[in-house]
Amino acid sequence: EGVNPQEYTGVKMEVIEWSPEAKAIESKVGGRKVFLVAATLRPETMYGQTNCFVGTSIKYGVYAINDTEAFVCTYRAARNMAFQGLSPERAKTELLLEIDGAAMIGTKIKAPFGLVPEVYVLPMDNVLATKGTGVVTSVPSDSPDDFATLSDLRKKPEFYKIDPKWVSVDPIPVLTTPTYGELTAPRLVEKLKIQSQKDVKQLAEAKEIAYKEGFYSGVMLVGEFSGLPVQEAKPKVRASMIEQGLAFAYAE
Ligand code: A2H
């Protein structure tokens, strides 16, 4: 972990329908709304969410944040959130139950600000339990990791034990850049000849290029701040999401 704290946006993705393996959760949350919480550094891209990723071998907890809401994330993240005052009533978050990432695959959730408003939870190999919340919202238009993983899942749905209909949403243009156009991540994945999510070295390079290109040269194509440079839109989209109760500031 670096010396400077990362300022993430915690995006609240409300569960609409649990996968069969996770369905029992419903009766154990005291009537609370349950949200998978994704940590992102690119809140301005949330219009382009096509799904959400968890690690299949990661243990998650369902934590009561207050009397009406519960968050799904790692223990580590829940503890950080408690320290950051997200559960003021209790000074610590209360663990309602534990759940394996694998059991949540196929769960249908809301995608805040998403042009496709409902998406599915899918598996990703490289989700780290030691970063963010352990939940990654997927924006394949602008994240090379997300695009490479979505492509893997589409190629081998049986191997990944997923229903092809869960991966039916194509990358959605969110912003445009002079060098890579409307779909920066797919273009970079092609250009760097990235074959799968296992090509971690090339993906790290693609991620770096995509981030810089989007931040310094990107212009928004969709949403409330369409037409604005990404640099200006980023804090505005974040503030708007937070104001609507769909996200919160999360640092680590
Ligand atoms: B970003 P940093 Cl469009 N394991 O959000 C692996 N990756 C994780 C993670 C975890 N536990 N928690 C968060 N992340 C991802 C959007 C996005 C992101 C776009 C483009 C680039 C990008 C949609 N996915 O990240 O190591 C999340 O994906 C590249 C910088 O803290 C989060 O932001 O710098 C980013 O990695 C945080 O990575």
Side-chain angles (χ1 to χ4, degrees), residues 102-134:
M104 292 193 283
I105 305 302
T107 295
K108 198 200 245 184
I109 58 179
K110 288 188 190 171
F113 282 20
L115 295 174
V116 174
E118 298 181 354
V119 302
Y120 289 92
V121 178
L122 297 169
M124 179 188 242
D125 289 347
N126 303 326
V127 179
L128 301 169
T130 51
K131 184 198 287 193
T133 55

Side-chain angles (χ1 to χ4, degrees), residues 6 8 39-42 45 127-128 131 136-137 143 146 207:
Q6 286 275 35
Y8 292 99
T40 181
L41 293 174
R42 306 274 320 257
T45 67
V127 179
L128 301 169
K131 184 198 287 193
V136 181
T137 188
S143 163
D146 298 353
K207 181 161 96 171

Side-chain angles (χ1 to χ4, degrees), residues 6-25:
Q6 286 275 35
E7 265 297 329
Y8 292 99
T9 302
V11 179
K12 294 167 63 180
M13 312 182 79
E14 187 182 346
V15 173
I16 300 167
E17 192 179 348
W18 288 108
S19 58
E21 296 77 10
K23 188 128 183 93
I25 290 179

Side-chain angles (χ1 to χ4, degrees), residues 125-183:
D125 289 347
N126 303 326
V127 179
L128 301 169
T130 51
K131 184 198 287 193
T133 55
V135 177
V136 181
T137 188
S138 173
V139 182
S141 56
D142 292 278
S143 163
D145 288 288
D146 298 353
F147 180 68
T149 304
L150 179 64
S151 303
D152 286 354
L153 296 171
R154 284 180 162 191
K155 279 181 220 153
K156 294 202 231 164
E158 303 86 4
F159 176 80
Y160 288 103
K161 303 191 188 87
I162 59 159
D163 183 332
K165 92 164 193 247
W166 300 342
V167 285
S168 62
V169 184
D170 287 328
I172 302 161
V174 171
L175 53 93
T176 184
T177 66
T179 316
Y180 303 102
E182 301 186 349
L183 294 171

Side-chain angles (χ1 to χ4, degrees), residues 62-75:
V62 184
Y63 295 92
I65 293 301
N66 53 41
D67 292 338
T68 57
E69 296 189 352
F71 289 178
V72 177
C73 59
T74 56
Y75 166 74

